[in-house]
Amino acid sequence: MLGLGQAAASPDAIGWSCRPEILLPLSVLLALYGVGWWRLSSRSRSRVPTWRLVSGVAGIGAVGVALLSPVDHLADDLFFIHMVQHLLLIKVAAPALLLADPLPVVLWGLPAAARVRVGHLLARRAPLRVAWQALTWTPVAWLTYALTLWLWHLPAAYEAALTHRLLHDAEHLAFFAAGLLFWWPVIAPAPHLRPRAHHGARIVYLVFATFQEAGLGLVLTVVPWVLYPSYALAPRVLALTAQQDQTWGGIVMWGAGGAIDMLVVLALLFRLLGRRELPALGGRPEAQAPVPGR
């Protein structure tokens, strides 16, 4: 049972951070999405469902909680909180933002001239679109996600990220970007770069991802020594030894992470079997926001 340890959390660990390099992009994205949603909602034929707005705000909020809340401070001393932080970026923020179908809405939040310029970048055969299409191809997205997850949890890479703030930020950015790539073939937001994958293919994709996540989580759970020395030297914020902390981190990865994947698998199974329509996984065509210039 978790309880208070011998060392109390420092005052910094119970407060929120004010990091302009994180706050500014999140604020700009939130403002653009809000303006774009309002503009589209004022057009009766292009109305964006309210649940997409809620999903977008939730996704941005999840990034803020992961990187600016006390979670970020506690993650320096508790490994299992660090795993919670990674799950917020990969399993909550990334899919929530993609479910919001952000690109068309954000484009409508831009001035007209900027919309045209961005539209050119996303035109057929434009380098950005070609690269985007390659990265979101199902095998590439899956492999990129798996490699990102395993490589950053190698002791050398993980310890380096704990030691250097810039590298730590790069780690979080890599996890969030890998999460976006991973969920892209499942959710298929705009721009629609290729035909939407069959529900069965998406189920297989998620099940295999769950297996490799569970493999990493199992390693963290059963290894009988502390993989990351920094946590052995960290103050005991809770009544957990470094070994117990690592075990809980592994449980969070394969337990909580796998549970989220399986919930999505169940939703896809419902749609595959035709029992009910779930708008959160693709939605009806009329609910999609128009992309300027399409």
Side-chain angles (χ1 to χ4, degrees), residues 84-222:
V84 171
Q85 186 181 38
H86 293 168
L87 286 184
L88 282 171
L89 293 172
I90 297 170
K91 302 289 189 179
V92 179
L97 283 172
L98 294 183
L99 285 170
D101 201 22
L103 182 62
V105 182
V106 169
L107 284 178
W108 280 100
L110 294 170
R115 286 204 299 270
V116 173
R117 295 192 190 96
V118 175
H120 290 158
L121 294 175
L122 298 175
R124 289 185 181 277
R125 299 182 182 178
L128 179 60
R129 187 183 181 96
V130 172
W132 200 336
Q133 188 172 14
L135 289 172
T136 54
W137 184 40
T138 302
V140 174
W142 193 97
L143 186 59
T144 301
Y145 171 66
L147 287 175
T148 302
L149 200 65
W150 281 83
L151 291 176
W152 275 109
H153 283 91
L154 292 175
Y158 198 101
E159 281 292 309
L162 288 176
T163 306
H164 302 92
R165 167 55 70 179
L166 188 60
L167 193 58
H168 202 172
D169 290 341
E171 177 196 37
H172 291 156
L173 183 60
F175 279 130
F176 181 61
L180 290 174
L181 291 179
F182 172 75
W183 288 105
W184 194 282
V186 178
I187 297 171
H192 305 295
L193 304 173
R194 54 174 50 87
R196 185 169 295 168
H198 187 269
H199 290 326
R202 285 187 266 183
I203 289 171
V204 173
Y205 173 88
L206 284 169
V207 169
F208 275 103
T210 303
F211 282 155
Q212 66 88 17
E213 292 166 3
L216 178 56
L218 188 62
V219 169
L220 297 171
T221 302
V222 303

Side-chain angles (χ1 to χ4, degrees), residues 237-281:
V237 178
L238 296 176
L240 291 173
T241 66
Q243 183 65 57
Q244 291 170 334
D245 182 23
Q246 182 173 289
T247 299
W248 277 105
I251 292 172
V252 167
M253 177 173 289
W254 64 259
I260 293 172
D261 290 343
M262 289 302 101
L263 283 175
V264 180
V265 166
L266 289 175
L268 289 168
L269 277 172
F270 275 122
R271 295 202 66 181
L272 181 63
L273 299 175
R275 292 181 179 177
R276 61 174 168 174
E277 195 72 15
L278 294 179
L281 289 173

Side-chain angles (χ1 to χ4, degrees), residues 8-17 68-71 73-74 237:
S10 66
D12 289 339
I14 58 175
W16 287 69
S17 301
L68 300 174
S69 78
V71 168
H73 295 289
L74 291 170
V237 178

